[in-house]
Amino acid sequence: MKYLVLGLLGFFSLLLESTLFNELMIAGVKPDLVLIIVILYAIFSGPREGAIVGLFLGFIEDLFMAKYLGINALSKFFVGLIIGSLEKRIYKENFIVPTIALLVGSLIHGLLFIFISNIVGYPLGIKNGFNVVIPVAIYNTCFAPFVYGSFYKATTKRELDL
């Protein structure tokens, strides 16, 4: 059930990214809602679950929006694994700590995306990559106040069976 809910949440996030958020671009970038879901889920569920959800939602994102299949899946897989490994060390009740984890996770994702893209033959220059990575990380972090409270309530009350 939880994977169905996460799959639907990821699908609706992709719909928002490809429609509404195209109009809300700032500095030429839009937030990565799927990455926000992966990071927040990994914070609450640990490395194994974070990696699985990152791989699954990243693959869905690759199918719908990416030029090369697997880049988002791999980068979100590793972000879910890395951030999920902090699960027991993060004080989830404090709003600031998960917000910082969201910023760090977004930066890690951007670096991994650039690295994997260069390996598979889709070269992204480091300078051009950082012109996207840092604004996306900041934009994602700005969504924390709007998303984290609901996510925290849903996971701690088990309303969505996460």
Side-chain angles (χ1 to χ4, degrees):
M1 180 66 180
K2 67 182 171 183
Y3 292 118
L4 176 64
V5 170
L6 286 167
L8 290 172
L9 192 59
F11 178 73
F12 287 119
S13 295
L14 287 172
L15 281 176
L16 282 174
E17 281 183 41
S18 63
T19 57
L20 178 65
F21 285 108
N22 280 336
E23 303 300 322
L24 298 175
M25 292 177 73
I26 297 175
V29 298
K30 56 187 173 184
D32 188 345
L33 299 176
V34 173
L35 179 61
I36 293 170
I37 293 167
V38 170
I39 291 171
L40 292 179
Y41 187 76
I43 287 172
F44 286 98
S45 302
R48 182 177 182 273
E49 292 287 319
I52 290 169
V53 168
L55 185 68
F56 175 69
L57 292 181
F59 186 70
I60 291 173
E61 187 173 15
D62 282 335
L63 287 175
F64 285 105
M65 300 177 76
K67 187 173 185 176
Y68 292 101
L69 191 63
I71 297 174
N72 280 304
L74 278 175
S75 57
K76 285 179 174 57
F77 168 82
F78 285 116
V79 168
L81 187 67
I82 293 166
I83 297 297
S85 68
L86 302 173
E87 173 210 7
K88 290 183 175 38
R89 296 180 187 98
I90 292 179
Y91 183 64
K92 297 166 192 77
E93 290 77 16
N94 184 347
F95 170 74
I96 301 296
V97 176
T99 302
I100 292 170
L102 189 57
L103 176 67
V104 170
S106 296
L107 290 171
I108 291 170
H109 175 266
L111 294 173
L112 285 170
F113 190 88
I114 291 169
F115 180 73
I116 294 168
S117 295
N118 285 320
I119 287 175
V120 299
Y122 183 61
L124 296 174
I126 298 296
K127 182 180 177 188
N128 291 334
F130 279 110
N131 290 337
V132 173
V133 170
I134 294 171
V136 169
I138 293 169
Y139 207 166
N140 284 349
T141 306
C142 290
F143 272 80
F146 304 106
V147 178
Y148 185 72
S150 300
F151 205 92
Y152 177 78
K153 288 176 188 174
T155 54
T156 55
K157 291 183 180 182
R158 304 288 181 201
E159 292 173 355
L160 295 177
D161 190 31
L162 295 174

